[in-house]
Amino acid sequence: MIERSHHDMGGLPAGKVERSEHDYAQWERRVDALMVLLSGIKGPKKLLTVDELRKNIEALGPEAYDKMSYYERWVTSITQSMIQRGVISTEELARKMVEVERRDG
Amino acid sequence: MTVETRFRPGERVRVMQAYPLGHVRTPYYIRGASGVIERVCGAFPNPEELAQMRSGLPKQPLYRVRFAQAEVWPDYRGGRADTIEVEIFQHWLDRAEVGE
Amino acid sequence: MSELGKYAPLTYFQLMEVSLRELLVEKGVVSDAEVDAVATDMKTRGPERGAKVVARAWTDPAYKQRLLADGTAACEELGLDVPALRLVVVENTPEVHNVIVCTLCSCYPRMLLGLPPDWYKSREYRSRVVREPRAVLAEFGTAIPDEVAIRVHDSTADMRYLVLPLRPADTEDWSEQRLAGIVTRDSMIGVAPAKAA
């Protein structure tokens, strides 16, 4: 349904709140740091706005939105934004992901 | 570059009941509801434009609007004095008719 | 995907993080040192920053007035930087209890409380606390009497919110530092009271 986007969930029925929390992993902290740097919250760069981050998270399908963890959504959205902005290209990303998987995967 | 501030604290406003596409920061549940301006938060670039990689200028006034929970949710099970406050940009607000 | 002989393979999203970061470093957009510095800085930010603000407000009525009038300036007064954060502090009173949420994403006063707990970002909390706050607070063990109004704050745009909890009874002779020790993260989100215990 387009009328109500999946992320816009205020007031919908849902289960009990599970009081879950976890220590963030280093890769999650690095994703957070990338956002802080690219958006200029710290430092001079303005390569990304918080609303672009949100837009590209909202563009995830409902299933992916619910299945992915918070920073999985973030890294996907930041990467998508960097492609949209022309900071990186899809081809560069593809080649890099193949290289990194061979090296560290 | 700032749009002129139309509303003052205490004024009654109604949230536009619209369901457009794009990146919107007005939650679904509050569209069409009427409430009272609690404070003027200042003016900020329009997030609907920022999301599309545009400047978001001129800045839009942003308000805290206070709503009575019993009016937002027809089945609300809580006190009559319970309220909810939402930040809403001016272009989503209209003056509510007297008596609303 | 796991292949034979590979130890703890990167997930798809970890692979994306490494790849994105390396590309940005190669292009000179960011440096590894910058990323590490910011990640480390965030790690040091925890709820004790917010607790310092609350304890000062409990012990200094003039400061409390400044805090409620302009949260950002009052934090800077204590030497707490709150970049990109326009802070609104909402005060719990015997008549009103405040609770914070972001229904559209997960906006949170992170510069004062650190990164948010998972439950704050969950579908359950975001969906329900706006419509049935008393039921959700009860799930946190917090019972709000009927005569106390609940005020929910949905952080939909550029403001961030911090609850100034009620100062517990029998703490009149406590120092500011001792008071700061009982101000929990959850009490500043508004899902629990601050307790003297």
Side-chain angles (χ1 to χ4, degrees):
Chain A
M1 187 162 85
I2 293 170
E3 183 184 329
R4 179 172 198 159
S5 180
H6 184 71
H7 73 282
D8 187 356
M9 60 185 71
L12 291 176
K16 194 168 178 288
V17 179
E18 301 294 335
R19 291 167 67 182
S20 52
E21 41 196 299
H22 78 290
D23 277 335
Y24 288 98
Q26 198 55 31
W27 79 270
E28 295 177 299
R29 293 184 177 278
R30 286 197 303 258
V31 171
D32 196 272
L34 280 177
M35 183 63 205
V36 167
L37 288 166
L38 294 172
S39 65
I41 292 171
K42 281 218 169 146
K45 297 179 191 74
K46 297 275 181 209
L47 287 168
L48 175 62
T49 65
V50 173
D51 288 291
E52 283 170 76
L53 175 79
R54 291 168 175 159
K55 173 190 71 176
N56 285 323
I57 288 173
E58 291 159 15
L60 295 167
E63 198 187 335
Y65 187 99
D66 284 345
K67 206 166 72 180
M68 289 160 71
S69 75
Y70 188 70
Y71 283 108
E72 288 177 348
R73 298 197 288 251
W74 271 42
V75 74
T76 304
S77 175
I78 295 169
T79 306
Q80 191 78 284
S81 301
M82 289 299 96
I83 294 170
Q84 288 167 355
R85 288 260 188 164
V87 177
I88 63 172
S89 71
T90 299
E91 183 190 347
E92 287 172 322
L93 180 66
R95 291 190 186 284
K96 180 60 85 176
M97 287 178 80
V98 169
E99 175 199 322
V100 173
E101 187 163 37
R102 284 205 185 116
R103 187 190 70 206
D104 304 343
Chain B
M1 277 210 294
T2 301
V3 173
E4 197 182 333
T5 302
R6 282 183 64 202
F7 306 113
R8 287 194 307 268
E11 275 192 88
R12 194 146 190 94
V13 291
R14 182 172 291 281
V15 184
M16 184 162 54
Q17 185 150 22
Y19 307 94
L21 298 180
H23 169 75
V24 175
R25 296 302 291 177
T26 307
Y28 180 94
Y29 70 84
I30 213 68
R31 300 186 201 172
S34 82
V36 170
I37 302 283
E38 188 266 342
R39 75 178 73 182
V40 183
C41 300
F44 299 90
N46 182 346
E48 296 162 8
E49 292 294 305
L50 285 180
Q52 315 303 339
M53 302 186 278
R54 295 189 285 268
S55 71
L57 300 176
K59 290 181 180 176
Q60 276 285 341
L62 177 70
Y63 302 90
R64 286 296 291 172
V65 186
R66 183 175 293 173
F67 302 88
Q69 285 279 42
E71 291 178 26
V72 175
W73 314 106
D75 60 348
Y76 188 70
R77 280 183 288 180
R80 298 292 302 175
D82 287 6
T83 53
I84 181 160
E85 293 188 7
V86 185
E87 283 159 62
I88 304 178
F89 281 94
Q90 181 165 284
H91 63 286
W92 274 88
L93 295 174
D94 289 307
R95 211 171 299 274
E97 299 302 317
V98 177
E100 268 196 271
Chain C
M1 294 301 102
S2 62
E3 285 175 36
L4 277 179
K6 284 189 175 173
Y7 175 72
L10 295 179
T11 67
Y12 175 74
F13 298 103
Q14 289 171 315
L15 184 61
M16 195 182 294
E17 185 273 321
V18 176
S19 303
L20 171 67
R21 179 165 42 84
E22 289 190 4
L23 283 173
L24 294 174
V25 170
E26 284 167 20
K27 288 168 182 290
V29 175
V30 297
S31 71
D32 278 322
E34 271 182 312
V35 175
D36 286 343
V38 172
T40 303
D41 172 70
M42 203 55 220
K43 212 168 183 172
T44 65
R45 288 175 191 266
E48 59 286 347
R49 292 165 62 90
K52 189 173 164 182
V53 174
V54 169
R56 174 64 60 90
W58 279 350
T59 53
D60 180 345
Y63 180 79
K64 186 174 95 174
Q65 289 314 313
R66 294 198 294 280
L67 181 68
L68 296 174
D70 184 342
T72 306
C75 287
E76 285 164 356
E77 205 181 305
L78 296 190
L80 299 167
D81 63 319
V82 283
L85 183 75
R86 287 179 178 76
L87 186 72
V88 175
V89 176
V90 290
E91 183 187 17
N92 284 351
T93 68
E95 291 80 36
V96 179
H97 179 89
N98 296 280
V99 61
I100 292 162
V101 65
C102 171
T103 61
L104 296 176
C105 42
S106 307
C107 301
Y108 186 74
R110 46 187 277 151
M111 294 306 168
L112 289 175
L113 299 186
L115 298 178
D118 293 334
W119 59 258
Y120 184 84
K121 303 180 285 186
S122 71
R123 174 163 287 275
E124 291 75 17
Y125 184 75
R126 288 165 53 191
S127 299
R128 289 180 52 226
V129 78
V130 288
R131 187 170 192 156
E132 37 178 337
R134 284 171 202 272
V136 170
L137 291 180
E139 287 165 20
F140 284 85
T142 303
I144 303 295
D146 286 344
E147 61 273 22
V148 176
I150 295 195
R151 184 168 297 154
V152 180
H153 299 266
D154 193 353
S155 328
T156 47
D158 293 76
M159 305 291 122
R160 296 293 175 270
Y161 299 85
L162 187 83
V163 174
L164 175 57
L166 276 175
R167 180 173 174 168
D170 305 321
T171 58
E172 291 77 12
D173 54 347
W174 287 31
S175 70
E176 189 178 326
Q177 197 181 359
R178 188 174 172 202
L179 285 166
I182 61 164
V183 182
T184 60
R185 176 196 69 200
D186 287 3
S187 73
M188 292 181 277
I189 300 173
V191 294
K195 289 182 190 154

